[in-house]
């Protein structure tokens, strides 16, 4: 049996993927992969996602330079969620990596506080200066 056959793909042929920073443990982002994206990720050692909005493969960092180097792929107990341990590349040494299209380290920059969502993580780089 092919290792990809063990993944429980949803009705659209996708599996949810969590990208977690290997060094800090920070959850950087959540996205989806189709079979081809997961295969390419394993082969290249770099994250390749399926863009639902654009309906195409998306090599993380193709437009921004913020590539995710994949160290480990894990499948949850139900075989329907993938966890990737990654190093976020494309930034100056000593600076935090940018995983979010908003220019932040993580896509999870809003915290619930007293009945509202509060942004508690700074923009590290203006997205207008990131994307080519």
């Amino acid at each position: 049996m092919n290792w990809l056959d063990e993944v429980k793909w949803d009705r659209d042929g996708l599996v949810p993927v969590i990208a977690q920073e290997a060094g800090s443990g920070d959850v950087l982002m959540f996205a989806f992969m189709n079979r081809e994206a997961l295969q390419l990720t394993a082969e290249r050692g770099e994250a390749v996602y399926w863009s639902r909005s654009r309906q195409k493969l998306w090599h993380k960092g193709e437009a921004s330079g913020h590539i995710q180097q994949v160290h480990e792929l894990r499948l949850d107990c139900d075989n329907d969620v993938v966890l990737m341990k990654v190093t976020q590349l494309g930034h100056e040494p000593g600076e935090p990596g940018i995983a979010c299209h908003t220019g932040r380290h993580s896509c999870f920059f809003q915290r619930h506080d007293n009945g509202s969502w509060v942004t508690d993580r700074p923009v590290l780089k203006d997205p207008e200066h990131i994307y080519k």
Side-chain angles (χ1 to χ4, degrees), residues 68-79:
Q68 291 176 339
Q69 178 184 19
V70 178
H71 301 287
E72 187 174 36
L73 292 169
R74 293 185 163 269
L75 192 59
D76 80 329
C77 58
D78 294 320
N79 291 13

Side-chain angles (χ1 to χ4, degrees), residues 2 10 46 64 97 126:
N2 184 314
D10 72 11
E46 293 181 354
S64 66
D126 184 333

Side-chain angles (χ1 to χ4, degrees), residues 53-73:
S53 60
R54 293 176 289 187
Q55 291 292 294
K56 69 175 199 163
L57 290 174
W58 158 46
H59 180 217
K60 177 70 173 151
E62 66 189 18
S64 66
H66 299 143
I67 294 166
Q68 291 176 339
Q69 178 184 19
V70 178
H71 301 287
E72 187 174 36
L73 292 169

Side-chain angles (χ1 to χ4, degrees), residues 65-115:
H66 299 143
I67 294 166
Q68 291 176 339
Q69 178 184 19
V70 178
H71 301 287
E72 187 174 36
L73 292 169
R74 293 185 163 269
L75 192 59
D76 80 329
C77 58
D78 294 320
N79 291 13
D80 62 358
V81 177
V82 172
L83 173 68
M84 290 192 313
K85 302 280 183 119
V86 305
T87 297
Q88 189 68 49
L89 304 175
H91 58 278
E92 296 297 321
E95 292 182 2
I98 297 172
C100 185
H101 74 280
T102 65
R104 291 177 173 87
H105 175 62
S106 168
C107 292
F108 296 93
F109 57 85
Q110 299 177 89
R111 176 180 45 82
H112 183 260
D113 184 15
N114 230 8

Side-chain angles (χ1 to χ4, degrees), residues 3-4 7 9 15-20 22 32-49 68-77 79 81-87:
W3 65 276
L4 291 165
V7 176
W9 307 96
V15 65
V17 180
I18 300 165
Q20 181 181 32
F32 290 90
M33 288 183 180
N34 64 7
R35 188 180 182 96
E36 183 181 6
L38 186 53
Q39 176 74 46
L40 288 170
T41 295
E43 289 172 1
R44 293 181 181 180
E46 293 181 354
V48 178
Y49 297 103
Q68 291 176 339
Q69 178 184 19
V70 178
H71 301 287
E72 187 174 36
L73 292 169
R74 293 185 163 269
L75 192 59
D76 80 329
C77 58
N79 291 13
V81 177
V82 172
L83 173 68
M84 290 192 313
K85 302 280 183 119
V86 305
T87 297

